[in-house]
Amino acid sequence: MTARTAPLVFIVDDDASVRKSLARLVRAAGFDVETFASARDFLARPRYNGPSCLVLDVRMPGLTGLDLQEALATARQHLPIVFITGHPDVWAQVKAMRGGAIDFLGKPVNDQDLLDAIERAVTKTGRAQHDEARITDIRNRIKAVTPSEAGRGMGPIDPIPRPSSQRQ
Amino acid sequence: MKKVRPPTDEVQRLVHELAVQELELERQNEEIRSARHELEAERDRVADLYQLAPVAHLTLDPMGTVVEATVLAVALLGVDYGRLNRRRLHERVVPADWVTLSRHLADVFAGAARRTCDLGILTGRDSARLVRVSSVAVPDARGQSTRCRTALMDITERKQAEEGLKDSRAQFESIITSALDGIVTVGGDGRVVLMNPAAERMFGCKAATVIGHAFDRFIHESSRKWYRAVILADADGVAGPAPGRLGAVVVRRADGTEIPVEASISEVLGSWGRLFTVILRDVSARQRAEQALGERLRLEQLVTQLAMTFGHLSTVELDQEVLRGLRAVIDFLGVDRGCLIEFPRAGKGARCWAIEDWMDVEDFPWMAARLQRGDFVTVSRLEELPDEAAVDRQSYLTCRVKPQVALPLEAGGRIVGGLVFSTIGDDRATSDDLKRQLHLVGEVFANLLSRKVAEVELQKLREDLGHVNRVSTIGELTTSLAHELNQPLTAILSCAQAGQRLIDVDAMDRGEFREILREIVEDGRRAAAVIDRLRALLKKGDPQLTVLDLNETVAEVVRLIRSDALVRDISIRLELDPTLSPARGDRVQLQQVLLNLALNGMDAMQELRTGERTLVFRTAMDCPGGIRVSVRDSGVGISGRDVEPMFQPFYTTKAGGMGIGLTIARSIIEAHDGELEAENNPDGGATFSFTLPVSEEGP
């Protein structure tokens, strides 16, 4: 895999023209873009470990956006997701946010809102990768302490910082 | 004798002369004697003849005293000669006839002519006998009439026979005279011998002018053959049909008119030759009655048929059926043209259905105005038209449609229209018969018009309700419609914003810019198409009948519900027959029906697990003469008791439903001459299907 200069944005939408126009917009903002017509197509893609995010349509035939979110969580693939939907319904929104979505945007999307959400998401991937390393380290250390040490309580742990909104 | 001296010569000569004279005298005496003998013989003979004559004879004096009587007379009078001789005949006459006898005698002795009278004679044996007395005066030597000879004839039997004959003749004559059938007696030569009053009336001429003339001038050419065959069979030497019933014949009256009769003929062979009695019965009244009855029956059949046709008329067939009905009425009435006018409830703009489009109400303002007032208008001559009918007159001239009748049509206390027929003969236009027929026909058309008005109102109501239903149906679709619209809008917005960004950073090449704009245009069109579909469905208005490809109609509906189906995890399958014939109908209304059926089907599948929800649209040519469009769901199906009430207004099993969807769907389909049905599938779920007739117009 060649080194990337820009974060990679995956766009999954069953509607070809939406897919195409969003890709155009996101690309114009300086991101790399890959588009998929369905959740299955996306799942078939090899895992990408660089800074990236997923722009995901909620409603699609077959596997829906929420199904995909669930599937990724199950696979412990912590890809930040920006949901877009033509019909913002509260239930879907709640479910998406609980599942850790970065944002839930209604169609038609305002370009700035979308790009901000993407920005936050890709930053998060960077941090998430860093955090994951730290978490692994902490877990290893926890394994190393004696049960008596463990009984005395947990040592101070660096809090995971909230992803900050960064403009490009 | 005195002695004188005779001179000798003289004496001699005298003696001789005397002798001669004596001889002469002797001869004369002899002659006289013989003559007297002859005379006596003659007298005896005559007397015998007189006495023995087969006729009873009397000799009477002016007083009626019997001077002589023949044996027969004595026998006839039934008394001894002694009681007759020198006695007046009156004694033997019934007193009632004394005056007759006296007058008879007076008449006889007053002149030389023979006189006759009938007297009742007392015979002394049995009842009085009727005797005909015939007398003539006989002058005596001095030329005075002191005697008369009287012949007696017993006419009792003859009189009785005569009376009988007279009776039967009178009877016969009264029968013939009073007979309702025409009776004509025709001689073997074909000339009329007798004609009764009924025949006179039948032929319209007096018997006196006909008797002696050939009868066949009264027989119509078409019927002359039988007549000649029967009556003149001998003359022609051809054996004709046997006399008897001849059946229907046409006779011609003196004035030339023809009437149908039933005739029978019988032949009498008498000493006077062959005679034929022809009995004729005028059946024109019966035929007229039969015709009238037949016509009435036909009219009633026509009216019933029209009423039935009009009773089940859909708005689609109205024009066609009205014209067909008019054509039937025109044929029945035997007129050229007909026209049905409909007056609107308010204002102008009367509508016209006319065979061959000959009439426009606008061209006949005077007649239309009179119709609207409820007048029965007949126009037979243009000159009859009043001045204010100038426009009408011009139109009559242009259309060449006089004369005509116009009948107002009333329904519910209002003149809803009129029926106009042309061309109708003068005498018929005013006949009560025609009026009666027209009124019957008019009623059917008036009903049609009033029902049409009601139907138009109902139709409007239905359309309003249909609109409400469409709006509410669209309401159910808002989710998916928002989605439908959001997609192209998202694309447009994103493309435009991408463009903006690229311009801002000067990273724009012309090709990409062109591409962006092309995509914007495409998605703009796509959004407009969604709006169009929505607007078409929401549009209020008259049904527009067009020739439709139902596969296309189904596809349009599927486009509308696709995103809704997506949201609800319902997969849609199309089983469209590519060889489907075109149908005729209103696109929006049929879409509305399909939309209703589809949404119902989708609602029915709500409880199912994802993956089991399938909605199948199917088109097929599997019903006789028509197309079937069905929407099959895999839902809960219809519970048995729900099938019929399901089509009733305001019946619903849905929480937010109005319960008018299926009612409207059914009324729309029925207005399209189709049927809407529902049934449960054997493998679960329900199928709603409707049929539509194939359009005759072709695609």
Side-chain angles (χ1 to χ4, degrees):
Chain A
M1 190 176 291
T2 53
R4 282 186 178 277
T5 52
L8 183 55
V9 178
F10 305 104
I11 298 176
V12 182
D13 196 318
D14 61 312
D15 190 300
S17 64
V18 170
R19 203 161 63 227
K20 228 158 107 186
S21 61
L22 285 178
R24 204 181 282 285
L25 175 65
V26 174
R27 207 174 281 130
F31 296 96
D32 279 345
V33 177
E34 274 185 35
T35 59
F36 304 88
S38 71
R40 281 186 201 288
D41 287 356
F42 176 73
L43 285 174
R45 190 202 186 281
R47 193 169 177 145
Y48 177 71
N49 288 321
S52 60
C53 84
L54 177 58
V55 176
L56 182 57
D57 189 17
V58 178
R59 285 174 175 166
M60 286 183 293
L63 282 181
T64 67
L66 294 173
D67 292 339
L68 181 55
Q69 184 186 34
E70 216 176 301
L72 291 175
T74 309
R76 302 189 67 82
Q77 193 176 344
H78 302 295
L79 185 64
I81 300 173
V82 177
F83 277 100
I84 51 169
T85 178
H87 178 68
D89 77 81
V90 179
W91 180 81
Q93 192 170 358
V94 168
K95 199 177 173 200
M97 296 315 277
R98 272 193 188 154
I102 300 297
D103 214 337
F104 195 95
L105 302 171
K107 283 184 191 171
V109 282
N110 181 22
D111 56 347
Q112 201 54 62
D113 292 349
L114 178 67
L115 294 173
D116 286 351
I118 290 173
E119 197 65 52
R120 283 202 307 275
V122 289
T123 311
K124 193 186 170 192
T125 42
R127 287 183 180 270
Q129 276 156 12
H130 169 72
D131 291 345
E132 208 162 334
R134 278 199 65 190
I135 289 167
T136 312
D137 175 50
I138 291 164
R139 282 199 179 127
N140 289 338
R141 282 199 278 157
I142 289 171
K143 279 182 191 162
V145 297
T146 58
S148 58
E149 276 176 321
R152 271 186 262 128
M154 288 174 80
I157 297 170
D158 291 349
I160 298 166
R162 284 182 60 81
S164 61
S165 173
Q166 278 178 359
R167 284 176 196 271
Q168 71 175 123
Chain B
M1 195 172 293
K2 191 170 92 179
K3 272 273 206 189
V4 286
R5 198 192 60 156
T8 316
D9 284 356
E10 184 86 345
V11 170
Q12 281 277 309
R13 195 183 46 87
L14 279 171
V15 168
H16 179 69
E17 262 180 31
L18 276 171
V20 170
Q21 270 178 6
E22 198 180 338
L23 270 172
E24 182 67 17
L25 273 172
E26 194 59 33
R27 196 186 53 84
Q28 278 180 358
N29 267 342
E30 191 57 35
E31 269 179 19
I32 285 166
R33 253 196 320 274
S34 107
R36 209 182 80 193
H37 273 298
E38 270 178 36
L39 203 64
E40 278 173 352
E42 183 62 24
R43 192 202 64 197
D44 288 350
R45 201 173 59 85
V46 168
D48 283 352
L49 277 175
Y50 176 74
Q51 286 293 331
L52 299 171
V55 180
H57 251 110
L58 294 172
T59 303
L60 302 174
D61 70 3
M63 293 304 291
T65 312
V66 178
V67 180
E68 287 170 326
T70 63
V71 180
L72 260 182
V74 173
L76 175 63
L77 295 172
V79 286
D80 294 339
Y81 184 66
R83 288 190 54 192
L84 195 63
N85 199 23
R86 310 312 301 178
R87 315 241 327 216
R88 291 185 72 193
L89 182 60
H90 292 73
E91 290 178 26
R92 308 308 319 152
V93 172
V94 295
D97 285 348
W98 285 351
V99 177
T100 312
L101 177 56
S102 299
R103 193 170 293 149
H104 175 72
L105 289 170
D107 289 347
V108 168
F109 286 101
R114 173 175 291 273
R115 304 279 174 172
T116 305
C117 72
D118 292 344
L119 298 170
I121 298 293
L122 301 163
T123 58
R125 287 193 299 273
D126 46 24
S127 57
R129 299 193 71 82
L130 188 72
V131 173
R132 177 152 294 171
V133 179
S134 181
S135 309
V136 61
V138 187
D140 63 9
R142 291 193 302 278
Q144 284 182 332
S145 302
T146 54
R147 296 285 185 272
C148 74
R149 304 241 183 265
T150 297
L152 304 175
M153 205 188 319
D154 188 342
I155 57 165
T156 312
E157 273 82 24
R158 204 174 92 188
K159 191 74 180 174
Q160 277 171 355
E162 249 174 33
E163 290 291 331
L165 193 66
K166 213 163 107 189
D167 276 359
S168 65
R169 194 184 169 84
Q171 222 171 348
F172 175 66
E173 272 176 4
S174 85
I175 288 172
I176 287 193
T177 307
S178 61
L180 291 172
D181 292 343
I183 300 172
V184 179
T185 305
V186 179
D189 56 357
R191 289 170 194 279
V192 176
V193 175
L194 178 148
M195 182 180 261
N196 76 338
E200 289 180 333
R201 285 194 297 276
M202 187 179 288
F203 295 119
C205 58
K206 285 279 154 205
T209 63
V210 176
I211 287 171
H213 293 90
F215 181 56
D216 61 359
R217 74 173 167 115
F218 292 108
I219 310 285
H220 188 264
E221 286 75 8
S222 62
S223 307
R224 227 169 251 178
K225 205 171 161 193
W226 69 258
Y227 169 79
R228 288 181 165 273
V230 174
I231 294 191
L232 305 174
D234 285 350
D236 293 351
V238 184
R245 198 173 176 78
L246 287 159
V249 211
V250 179
V251 298
R252 180 179 287 130
R253 290 166 52 91
D255 63 8
T257 52
E258 287 159 11
I259 46 172
V261 298
E262 257 179 22
S264 62
I265 193 163
S266 56
E267 184 179 354
V268 189
L269 251 180
S271 49
W272 48 81
R274 297 165 76 226
L275 274 185
F276 295 91
T277 301
V278 186
I279 297 177
L280 304 154
R281 175 166 299 170
D282 185 346
V283 292
S284 54
R286 198 180 73 200
Q287 278 193 1
R288 268 200 305 279
E290 277 170 3
Q291 264 174 5
L293 196 70
E295 196 165 86
R296 213 198 151 99
L297 214 63
R298 280 203 302 135
L299 178 72
E300 266 160 28
Q301 274 174 354
L302 174 71
V303 166
T304 313
Q305 198 191 325
L306 284 179
M308 272 172 62
T309 310
F310 291 166
H312 300 95
L313 214 51
S314 73
T315 42
V316 185
E317 316 162 304
L318 181 84
D319 291 352
Q320 191 190 342
E321 287 302 325
V322 163
L323 289 180
R324 195 177 290 172
L326 269 176
R327 169 62 66 195
V329 173
I330 284 173
D331 288 348
F332 176 81
L333 294 174
V335 297
D336 297 340
R337 307 191 228 194
C339 162
L340 173 68
I341 305 169
E342 181 190 12
F343 295 126
R345 194 175 274 277
K348 292 200 164 192
R351 202 173 155 200
C352 229
W353 290 267
I355 304 283
E356 291 163 25
D357 283 334
W358 59 275
M359 183 165 166
D360 193 341
V361 194
E362 310 256 315
D363 296 339
F364 296 88
W366 172 78
M367 189 197 65
R370 287 199 60 191
L371 273 181
Q372 269 182 308
R373 283 204 303 272
D375 292 349
F376 184 87
V377 190
T378 60
V379 176
S380 45
R381 272 185 300 278
L382 288 185
E383 301 83 68
E384 288 172 5
L385 290 171
D387 290 342
E388 62 262 35
V391 183
D392 294 59
R393 183 182 293 127
Q394 195 52 48
S395 305
Y396 279 120
L397 284 171
T398 321
C399 305
R400 296 187 202 153
V401 289
K402 50 146 192 147
Q404 64 180 27
V405 294
L407 169 86
L409 301 180
E410 194 196 310
R414 192 176 82 84
I415 304 293
V416 289
L419 271 178
V420 185
F421 292 105
S422 166
T423 304
I424 290 181
D426 278 10
D427 47 341
R428 241 190 112 196
T430 50
S431 82
D432 289 342
D433 222 30
L434 182 78
K435 273 192 192 174
R436 193 182 51 75
Q437 293 178 341
L438 282 180
H439 276 294
L440 251 169
V441 173
E443 237 164 77
V444 183
F445 280 95
N447 274 341
L448 172 68
L449 289 184
S450 72
R451 219 165 41 76
K452 203 183 137 260
V453 169
E455 232 157 60
V456 165
E457 281 163 6
L458 190 70
Q459 182 69 28
K460 200 180 162 301
L461 202 69
R462 196 185 286 148
E463 274 165 23
D464 286 348
L465 201 59
H467 182 249
V468 168
N469 166 256
R470 280 206 296 277
V471 172
S472 71
T473 308
I474 301 301
E476 288 180 48
L477 279 177
T478 24
T479 319
S480 84
L481 280 169
H483 193 239
E484 279 287 295
L485 270 179
N486 273 333
Q487 299 289 46
L489 284 180
T490 304
I492 289 167
L493 206 56
S494 303
C495 275
Q497 287 162 343
Q500 280 175 337
R501 279 170 194 280
L502 289 172
I503 284 172
D504 287 349
V505 297
D506 276 341
M508 189 77 169
D509 77 82
R510 287 173 77 85
E512 189 168 16
F513 195 57
R514 190 176 292 121
E515 186 72 6
I516 285 172
L517 290 179
R518 193 185 59 76
E519 281 175 22
I520 289 175
V521 169
E522 240 172 51
D523 284 305
R525 288 207 176 115
R526 186 176 152 200
V530 174
I531 302 284
D532 273 352
R533 280 205 296 278
L534 193 64
R535 188 183 288 144
L537 209 54
L538 287 172
K539 202 175 74 181
K540 242 177 118 169
D542 297 334
Q544 305 270 314
L545 292 184
T546 50
V547 176
L548 291 173
D549 176 1
L550 286 173
N551 286 342
E552 182 54 38
T553 311
V554 169
E556 280 164 3
V557 169
V558 170
R559 271 201 285 279
L560 275 171
I561 58 161
R562 191 181 46 197
S563 33
D564 207 42
L566 189 62
V567 173
R568 294 158 79 165
D569 283 317
I570 293 166
S571 62
I572 292 177
R573 201 163 76 230
L574 299 182
E575 295 175 0
L576 305 181
D577 179 354
T579 66
L580 205 66
S581 297
R584 192 172 154 79
D586 180 87
R587 195 172 62 94
V588 174
Q589 285 191 344
L590 293 177
Q591 280 184 10
Q592 183 184 354
V593 172
L594 279 167
L595 201 55
N596 261 305
L597 301 185
L599 291 175
N600 281 345
M602 285 160 76
D603 289 346
M605 294 188 287
Q606 206 131 30
E607 310 294 314
L608 265 65
R609 280 186 303 173
T610 320
E612 288 177 351
R613 307 171 185 168
T614 311
L615 194 64
V616 182
F617 289 85
R618 184 163 185 273
T619 58
M621 304 278 290
D622 65 355
C623 64
I627 302 165
R628 183 184 298 277
V629 180
S630 50
V631 180
R632 189 170 79 228
D633 65 59
S634 53
V636 290
I638 312 154
S639 67
R641 61 186 172 82
D642 283 349
V643 177
E644 253 327 291
M646 194 166 64
F647 292 105
Q648 299 301 315
F650 309 114
Y651 175 86
T652 184
T653 54
K654 299 187 214 167
M658 283 181 67
I660 55 170
L662 280 176
T663 314
I664 288 166
R666 182 175 258 191
S667 77
I668 288 174
I669 293 303
E670 281 172 0
H672 280 77
D673 276 343
E675 279 175 56
L676 178 63
E677 293 162 352
E679 58 178 13
N680 281 320
N681 304 326
D683 53 349
T687 299
F688 284 75
S689 65
F690 61 84
T691 58
L692 284 181
V694 169
S695 166
E696 285 157 19
E697 290 167 47

